[in-house]
């Protein structure tokens, strides 16, 4: 797993996710494959997709699931971004982290 923009597969996945003309199935498949990659730049791109999707869409849910998987694998979460999570994306993150790394869930995190 690479942690820089030289990760060609990660760059391709993000390109698919950011292509509004890409078929929905391709975008959802790309979102599910995000977990296999990592890096600060990569997470920032996922954050932007989640924000653009307003944390609500099926695409956002798949991206959030992959993001939580990255965090669980790495044993850390982004404490600055975590408070932005809401709705279905938050539920996905809490579900994955709750099962795989509950210690990464900030105290008091929950839905409003």
């Amino acid at each position: 797993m690479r942690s820089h923009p030289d990760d060609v597969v990660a760059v391709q996945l993000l390109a698919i996710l950011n292509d509004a003309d890409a078929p929905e199935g391709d975008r959802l498949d790309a979102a599910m494959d995000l977990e296999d990659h990592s890096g600060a730049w990569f997470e920032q791109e996922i954050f932007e997709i989640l924000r653009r999707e307003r944390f609500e869409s099926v695409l956002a849910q798949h991206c959030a699931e992959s993001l939580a998987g990255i965090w669980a694998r790495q044993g850390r979460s982004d404490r600055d971004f975590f408070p932005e999570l809401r709705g279905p994306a938050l539920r996905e993150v809490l579900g994955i982290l709750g099962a795989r790394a509950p210690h990464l869930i900030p105290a008091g995190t929950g839905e409003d």
Side-chain angles (χ1 to χ4, degrees):
M1 289 165 273
R2 300 177 194 198
S3 62
H4 48 75
D6 292 338
D7 184 340
V8 175
V9 174
V11 171
Q12 291 172 339
L13 292 172
L14 292 171
I16 293 167
L17 290 167
N18 287 311
D19 181 356
D21 294 326
E24 181 180 19
D26 291 351
R27 294 176 81 205
L28 295 176
D29 287 344
M32 289 186 285
D33 290 341
L34 295 174
E35 184 177 343
D36 296 328
H37 304 273
S38 57
W41 68 274
F42 190 65
E43 287 184 29
Q44 291 301 315
E45 291 293 322
I46 296 171
F47 298 165
E48 289 306 313
I49 293 166
L50 288 167
R51 288 177 183 123
R52 182 182 69 223
E53 294 292 318
R54 298 179 181 219
F55 306 95
E56 295 290 328
S57 69
V58 172
L59 179 63
Q61 291 174 53
H62 286 296
C63 287
E65 181 178 344
S66 288
L67 180 63
I70 292 167
W71 288 346
R73 176 173 40 84
Q74 293 184 340
R76 58 147 197 87
S77 62
D78 188 299
R79 300 294 176 156
D80 293 330
F81 181 71
F82 214 110
E84 284 189 54
L85 288 167
R86 62 184 184 273
L90 174 61
R91 288 190 294 276
E92 289 293 334
V93 168
L94 293 176
I96 295 296
L97 291 182
R100 293 172 51 187
H103 63 283
L104 297 179
I105 299 172
T109 299
E111 297 218 55
D112 297 328

